[in-house]
Amino acid sequence: MSELTRIPAPDGLAPTAQYSHVVMGTGTFVAISGQLALDENGKPVGEGDPAAQAHRIFENLRRCLAAAGATFDDVVKLTYFVTDMAHLPAIRAARVEHIPDDRLPAASAVQVAALVRPEFLMEIEAFAIVGT
C-alpha cells in the first residue's frame, strides 16, 4: 500500500463531502477499466436497480484492485459514468461501504446518453497507486 496524501479542499476551493480535490502519492500506477454490473459469468446484475448495480460494480472494482495488489485505500481517482444523475445516491451508498469519508479519492461524475448495453445504468473506473 502506498502512502497517499489527500487534500480535501485546497486554499480558495470550497470543501465537498463527496470527494477530495487532490490526491497524490508515489508508487506503481494502476488503471482499472470501467466496470459494469456483471457477475462472474458475464451476466447483468440488477437490471433497472441502481443500488444493485452500484453494489456489484464496487465488488468488481474490489476484485480488480486485489488482482493488482491494491485495495480501495490505494484508489486516487474514481470516474462515474451514469445514464442519469439520479443514480449518484446509489453509487455513494455503495462507495461508503468500501471507502471511508476520511479517505475519499478524487472523483468525477459524467452523465452519458448510453452505455455499451441498455440495461446498464452506470460504469465506474478507478485509478490507484500501489507501493512506494
Side-chain angles (χ1 to χ4, degrees):
M1 182 183 327
S2 71
E3 188 64 33
L4 299 176
T5 301
R6 289 172 174 79
I7 304 170
D11 290 342
L13 291 179
T16 177
Q18 303 305 324
Y19 58 88
S20 295
H21 281 282
V22 179
V23 181
M24 56 191 171
T26 59
T28 301
F29 179 76
V30 177
I32 307 293
S33 291
Q35 296 297 300
L36 297 163
L38 292 169
D39 70 13
E40 58 276 359
N41 298 310
K43 297 193 185 314
V45 172
E47 190 167 343
D49 183 344
Q53 288 196 19
H55 183 77
R56 182 60 199 205
I57 289 170
F58 272 92
E59 175 58 20
N60 290 350
L61 288 169
R62 185 195 64 74
R63 291 172 190 236
C64 290
L65 289 163
T71 70
F72 280 103
D73 286 344
D74 302 305
V75 172
V76 296
K77 175 77 166 44
L78 292 170
T79 305
Y80 310 114
F81 301 95
V82 295
T83 57
D84 188 328
M85 287 294 181
H87 303 322
L88 288 178
I91 291 171
R92 289 182 186 125
R95 185 203 65 215
V96 78
E97 295 177 17
H98 299 278
I99 304 172
D101 286 344
D102 66 340
R103 302 194 60 82
L104 292 174
S108 297
V110 180
Q111 184 168 332
V112 295
L115 292 166
V116 67
R117 291 182 6 205
E119 62 265 37
F120 297 124
L121 305 175
M122 62 193 71
E123 180 174 330
I124 305 172
E125 68 180 14
F127 300 133
I129 299 176
V130 181
T132 55

